[in-house]
Amino acid sequence: MKKHILNHKFLLFLSIIAVIIISLVEAYQAILFQTVIDTATGTLQLEFSNLFLYVMLFLLAVFISETFSKTSNAALNASVMKDYKQSIINSFLGNNNQSRLTSSELISTLDNDVKIIENNYLNSLISMTKDIFLFIISLFLLFRINVTLTLSILVLGWIPVVVPQLFTKKNQLLKERYLGKVEVFVNQVKEIAQGFEVIKGFNIENKILNKFSNINEEAEQSKFKSDAFTGFQGAISISSGFLMFFINLLVAAYFVIQGDITLGQMIAAVQLMNYIVNPLISISKYLTNIRSVTRIISTINEKVLDNKGESSQETKEFTFDRNLRINELSYSYNNRDKVISNINYIFEKGKKYAIVGESGCGKSTLLKILMKQINDYQGQISIDDINIKSFDAKSYYSKVALIHQNVFVFKDTFKNNICLYNEFSDEKIKNTIIQSGLTKTMNIHNAGLDTLVGEGHVELSGGELNRLSIARALIKDVEILLVDEATSALDKVMAYDIEKTILGLDSTIIAITHRIDDNILKNYDEILVMKDGEIVESGKLQKLITNKGYFYDMYSNALLSLGEKELVGGV
Ligand SMILES: Nc1ncnc2c1ncn2[C@@H]1O[C@H](COP(=O)(O)OP(=O)(O)OP(=O)(O)O)[C@@H](O)[C@H]1O
């Protein structure tokens, strides 16, 4: 955070100058009081018109300094917070998949946490700077009026500063607890928005409403506790401030009775006392605020800003001429149960590979590893003998793509969704559309490539989404295309169609499929059969059938269930 503030040195300088001017103007108010009262009581000989002029000048100074201060503070605030939010998003996108925040954590960080930081850190810091100057200037002026009175204020002035600090830890804890509840709340709201159709379709509105009501209640309760405790801490602070103020007022009154100071000086001293006591109280409040957000700031630093994700050894440009080799690959999500267990395999460039196996045997995990989304595995994966960990991420992802069922659509045009904001020639785009089978879709919509798609616009069908993801991979000429059951949500005819498109590509294809179906599997050069994280068989379809091994069992079961379905259909 400090770094982001110091990035705007000029605005910071302006803000500091502004608060110094404001402090001087405010402190001058005490002198003005003294002048008016001493003139009124006859202690000072001054023309009334002069008094009027001083007051007018004072008002003008207040107006100018307040405007200057508020504008420069707002400009500093806007610039620092813009930078801070930008760097959070930059780091979020710069981190690898494993180290990133969840979407709810990110939304909550950028919305709620950032607002708290702005209010409790940045604004507190600026206001505290102003109070420190006001304190120093007032102290100086008060010294000139009466030294004993000043010393008395200096001794007793610490009461309202120190006492509230005793409650800071608890305040901090309550604020953090509240933030945790807000994160749960955001997550729930997101689930309601995203799961709208499931909620309505399965008639679970009441259950979800109950869940939301509990989460909402908990979030508001914890906000109430945090606000109430902050209020209690504030009350302690204000009461101790008053205690100190009245003791010093009595001391000032004593000096007037003794004739050591004039009435005007006493009024000025009272005003200056305010400018000493109030900043002391406020400074303690600002310090509490700043401390309560420092933990939030360090969490953001730890989770996002300091987490560089990609390692510095990733420097090599991606090249792929011969093969992709997996050597003794093992992986476990929890450091206990192996999801991938000692896999050895060589994928030849340009060939088409299908991966089959029961649900949960580790197929998707293997693709995630190949996609460099998981990096803490054992063993080695290399392309033409270069460890994939040494490839520069940008270069790697320009040539390796993963497509799966969940195709994210940006609320934007077809063109931007296919090109993903990169520039390609019209011819390239046209060819991509033809190859990925999107021509019919383009023709349906009058605006063609400029048709707006995504939530609230044209919503794409399952098949169109698959074709969109194929188009995204095709347009950047990917060399390795990983396919994670892209067609499992589609009907048989549509699935064949998409599989045909994928198999017609020049890239090396490694595709997970659930369909144990001759018409699909016969088109692959090799079928990898996975069981409990291992590749237990591999080869062409016919070889696997003849082997009568694990694949044959799966194949026979698939045929059996297909036959049963046809039987049921025929009855
Ligand atoms: N992020 C995760 N944390 C912990 N366990 C996980 C995680 N992701 C997957 N798993 C577990 O790892 C195992 C393998 O999952 P994976 O998704 O690779 O299987 P799969 O063969 O692709 O399954 P399916 O065919 O059903 O998609 C499963 O038991 C799954 O529950």
Side-chain angles (χ1 to χ4, degrees):
M1 193 68 204
K2 279 180 204 135
K3 185 185 89 190
H4 296 284
I5 299 174
L6 291 175
N7 276 348
H8 299 278
K9 288 197 184 78
F10 181 63
L11 286 175
L12 183 66
F13 172 73
L14 282 187
S15 294
I16 292 174
I17 294 289
V19 296
I20 293 177
I21 294 174
I22 281 214
S23 312
L24 283 170
V25 172
E26 278 190 30
Y28 177 70
Q29 193 188 353
I31 310 285
L32 197 57
F33 278 0
Q34 182 187 338
T35 314
V36 172
I37 287 160
D38 281 348
T39 308
T41 54
T43 320
L44 196 71
Q45 308 297 318
L46 212 68
E47 290 285 322
F48 198 77
S49 58
N50 281 350
L51 275 185
F52 184 74
L53 185 68
Y54 290 158
V55 171
M56 285 301 119
L57 284 175
F58 171 73
L59 289 180
L60 186 67
V62 168
F63 177 76
I64 293 173
S65 60
E66 282 290 339
T67 311
F68 175 40
S69 167
K70 292 284 181 299
T71 315
S72 53
N73 284 356
L76 178 67
N77 236 323
S79 306
V80 172
M81 293 324 286
K82 186 199 80 188
D83 261 20
Y84 193 54
K85 286 189 254 186
Q86 190 67 47
S87 64
I88 290 176
I89 284 290
N90 286 352
S91 302
F92 177 78
L93 289 177
N95 285 342
N96 66 26
N97 257 21
Q98 277 174 303
S99 56
R100 71 184 171 93
L101 299 176
T102 64
S103 52
S104 311
E105 281 174 335
L106 180 70
I107 294 169
S108 172
T109 302
L110 274 178
D111 182 30
N112 207 54
D113 295 6
V114 161
K115 256 186 230 150
I116 291 183
I117 291 171
E118 182 175 351
N119 288 333
N120 288 3
Y121 189 89
L122 197 54
N123 289 341
S124 294
L125 217 56
I126 291 168
S127 305
M128 198 168 78
T129 313
K130 181 202 140 192
D131 280 352
I132 289 172
F133 278 113
L134 188 57
F135 175 85
I136 295 170
I137 294 161
S138 304
L139 204 63
F140 170 74
L141 291 175
L142 197 62
F143 248 116
R144 294 189 51 196
I145 293 174
N146 188 291
V147 176
T148 320
L149 185 59
T150 313
L151 291 177
S152 152
I153 289 171
L154 275 181
V155 173
L156 296 171
W158 289 104
I159 298 173
V161 180
V162 174
V163 175
Q165 295 301 319
L166 304 173
F167 304 92
T168 304
K169 240 192 182 144
K170 170 109 178 151
N171 192 330
Q172 210 167 337
L173 200 77
L174 288 171
K175 270 207 174 97
E176 275 170 24
R177 215 173 273 167
Y178 166 57
L179 282 181
K181 298 283 178 197
V182 168
E183 204 175 298
V184 177
F185 180 84
V186 171
N187 198 21
Q188 180 62 19
V189 171
K190 216 180 94 203
E191 266 185 27
I192 292 178
Q194 289 178 344
F196 180 79
E197 277 159 21
V198 178
I199 295 167
K200 297 296 280 181
F202 286 85
N203 228 352
I204 51 169
E205 289 100 322
N206 286 341
K207 289 206 168 60
I208 298 294
L209 280 175
N210 276 343
K211 197 172 162 199
F212 177 80
S213 160
N214 290 339
I215 289 173
N216 193 13
E217 166 89 26
E218 278 177 25
E220 287 309 318
Q221 271 295 326
S222 90
K223 181 173 188 303
F224 164 72
K225 281 186 190 156
S226 167
D227 287 352
F229 194 79
T230 307
F232 165 72
Q233 200 177 5
I236 297 252
S237 177
I238 287 170
S239 310
S240 47
F242 271 126
L243 173 76
M244 174 212 149
F245 178 77
F246 276 106
I247 294 177
N248 285 315
L249 186 65
L250 292 176
V251 174
Y254 172 79
F255 284 127
V256 176
I257 295 164
Q258 293 295 312
D260 288 342
I261 57 176
T262 67
L263 190 62
Q265 281 176 320
M266 176 180 154
I267 300 291
V270 167
Q271 191 59 24
L272 291 171
M273 229 190 289
N274 271 330
Y275 292 153
I276 292 171
V277 178
N278 288 344
L280 282 180
I281 297 170
S282 309
I283 287 167
S284 85
K285 195 180 85 193
Y286 297 138
L287 280 177
T288 310
N289 284 346
I290 289 170
R291 278 200 203 132
S292 72
V293 289
T294 41
R295 231 188 285 170
I296 300 172
I297 293 176
S298 25
T299 309
I300 295 179
N301 284 347
E302 245 168 60
K303 281 190 169 178
V304 199
L305 298 174
D306 296 343
N307 191 344
K308 293 292 168 231
E310 311 291 350
S311 74
S312 53
Q313 52 169 336
E314 298 179 319
T315 50
K316 293 209 167 86
E317 284 296 304
F318 179 87
T319 52
F320 182 31
D321 291 319
R322 300 189 307 276
N323 56 36
L324 186 163
R325 182 189 292 264
I326 298 181
N327 256 346
E328 295 179 3
L329 179 71
S330 293
Y331 179 69
S332 155
Y333 284 102
N334 54 12
N335 288 327
R336 217 180 40 236
D337 312 310
K338 278 191 179 167
V339 172
I340 297 291
S341 181
N342 199 28
I343 287 186
N344 289 288
Y345 200 81
I346 299 175
F347 297 92
E348 302 289 343
K349 182 179 163 103
K351 286 193 173 176
K352 320 291 177 210
Y353 298 86
I355 305 180
V356 298
E358 276 179 359
S359 179
C361 69
K363 303 183 293 294
S364 300
T365 306
L366 179 59
L367 292 202
K368 279 183 196 157
I369 292 174
L370 292 178
M371 223 16 219
K372 299 216 307 171
Q373 289 173 358
I374 294 175
N375 295 305
D376 52 342
Y377 50 81
Q378 287 161 11
Q380 184 169 312
I381 302 171
S382 44
I383 292 178
D384 294 349
D385 297 328
I386 299 173
N387 190 333
I388 62 165
K389 285 186 179 168
S390 28
F391 286 124
D392 165 65
K394 254 193 184 149
S395 164
Y396 193 78
Y397 293 128
S398 69
K399 292 295 166 199
V400 183
L402 170 69
I403 61 177
H404 45 68
Q405 277 178 52
N406 304 325
V407 184
F408 184 79
V409 179
F410 291 92
K411 264 195 195 185
D412 209 320
T413 58
F414 248 128
K415 184 177 171 187
N416 283 338
N417 265 289
I418 292 172
C419 302
L420 293 177
Y421 306 100
N422 288 309
E423 286 298 319
F424 294 102
S425 68
D426 289 348
E427 197 177 342
K428 178 91 188 158
I429 297 173
K430 200 174 146 201
N431 286 340
T432 302
I433 288 170
I434 296 169
Q435 272 183 287
S436 58
L438 278 170
T439 315
K440 203 171 133 202
T441 312
M442 288 297 146
N443 292 341
I444 297 172
H445 304 288
N446 288 340
L449 270 171
D450 294 327
T451 307
L452 286 171
V453 293
E455 200 184 351
H457 303 297
V458 171
E459 302 239 5
L460 301 180
S461 71
E464 285 169 334
L465 286 173
N466 286 143
R467 292 189 182 283
L468 172 66
S469 63
I470 293 171
R472 283 175 180 171
L474 261 179
I475 204 154
K476 55 180 189 174
D477 296 322
V478 292
E479 299 207 24
I480 301 177
L481 183 61
L482 309 172
V483 185
D484 192 348
E485 307 195 51
T487 61
S488 63
L490 305 179
D491 66 47
K492 211 170 169 179
V493 180
M494 181 72 85
Y496 279 150
D497 227 31
I498 305 264
E499 295 259 359
K500 228 169 89 188
T501 309
I502 291 173
L503 285 164
L505 306 178
D506 293 334
S507 328
T508 306
I509 310 284
I510 304 174
I512 295 175
T513 178
H514 262 162
R515 294 174 199 269
I516 309 290
D517 183 331
D518 300 26
N519 285 325
I520 290 178
L521 292 178
K522 71 177 183 199
N523 299 315
Y524 285 92
D525 296 305
E526 291 264 328
I527 300 165
L528 281 67
V529 187
M530 282 187 71
K531 187 183 176 203
D532 300 333
E534 293 178 48
I535 296 180
V536 289
E537 282 178 279
S538 64
K540 277 207 148 295
L541 175 68
Q542 209 45 52
K543 177 186 154 197
L544 293 176
I545 294 173
T546 330
N547 273 0
K548 298 223 166 173
Y550 179 64
F551 176 81
Y552 182 73
D553 292 344
M554 287 170 66
Y555 179 76
S556 316
N557 287 339
L559 281 186
L560 206 64
S561 73
L562 192 70
E564 277 167 9
K565 267 187 212 150
E566 276 167 7
L567 202 63
V568 172
V571 171

